[in-house]
Amino acid sequence: LLLAGAVAAAGAAHAEKGDREKEIQVLADRLSADDAKKEAVYEGNVVVTQGTMRITSARIVVREDPEGYRTYIATGTPVTFRQKRDKPDDWIDGSAQRAEFDDRNDLLRLYTGALLKSSQGELAGDFISYDRAKEYFEVTGAAPGAPAAAGSRVKATIIPQKKGEDGKPLPPL
């Protein structure tokens, strides 16, 4: 079951590879940047696009370390994202109240009402962590170090693979 849940959201692992090489465009109502601190804050109806990837949020803080690695912290009502996968007509969609991405460690963390959907299924919890380098997911009913609220649970919905007339799984498109 654990493996099936990870497979359901593994779509993020196969996002279009070309996206990482494309330019990033950020639209916002306001930008404040501090070059000395290597920090930029985008606020108000923030929309970030890079290739097929699109993120919307109320606010995104970008920090760069001395080696040039960046961390992104997006907060919103909620933060949403969508990205095409390498398969034709296949997308990964997600949302949470806060999203953090660390490009040094290739780590995505979604907090509070976290949800990932793809054609393979859906994962939901209060916290989702995805290590892209290791292709490892962790989904919990509460953020790390926080007590779980009464009734908080992890939910995985797995969509069965389509089968041909012979009963064997159809090849991916």
Side-chain angles (χ1 to χ4, degrees):
L1 185 57
L2 177 63
L3 178 61
V7 168
H14 303 289
E16 281 210 337
K17 293 175 184 132
D19 282 353
R20 291 194 80 158
E21 304 301 319
K22 295 187 178 160
E23 70 181 26
I24 299 170
Q25 182 179 64
V26 182
L27 300 171
D29 294 338
R30 287 173 301 287
L31 165 63
S32 57
D34 186 332
D35 285 339
K37 287 184 177 179
K38 301 268 187 189
E39 179 178 278
V41 179
Y42 298 88
E43 294 179 289
N45 302 309
V46 182
V47 178
V48 179
T49 56
Q50 183 180 26
T52 66
M53 187 265 309
R54 176 185 166 95
I55 298 171
T56 64
S57 69
R59 183 173 196 254
I60 294 180
V61 178
V62 182
R63 292 186 182 104
E64 186 175 308
D65 70 16
E67 286 127 23
Y69 291 103
R70 293 187 181 114
T71 57
Y72 304 83
I73 301 170
T75 53
T77 52
V79 175
T80 65
F81 63 90
R82 178 178 176 104
Q83 186 169 22
K84 188 173 181 327
R85 296 174 53 195
D86 280 332
K87 294 180 183 179
D89 298 322
D90 197 7
W91 294 80
I92 183 93
D93 291 284
S95 64
Q97 290 302 307
R98 187 171 93 230
E100 298 178 0
F101 182 69
D102 170 0
D103 74 0
R104 172 187 294 273
N105 298 307
D106 222 4
L107 186 63
L108 172 68
R109 291 185 175 126
L110 302 173
Y111 296 86
T112 311
L115 176 66
L116 286 176
K117 290 184 197 179
S118 77
S119 63
Q120 295 174 311
E122 180 178 304
L123 281 178
D126 210 44
F127 174 74
I128 298 175
S129 176
Y130 176 56
D131 184 324
R132 291 185 351 163
K134 296 177 183 173
E135 296 187 18
Y136 175 79
F137 282 91
E138 178 183 0
V139 184
T140 61
S152 64
R153 308 271 292 165
V154 170
K155 178 183 175 187
T157 303
I158 301 152
I159 298 171
Q161 188 174 4
K162 292 184 180 182
K163 296 184 180 179
E165 291 179 16
D166 60 0
K168 293 182 181 178
L170 291 173
L173 297 176

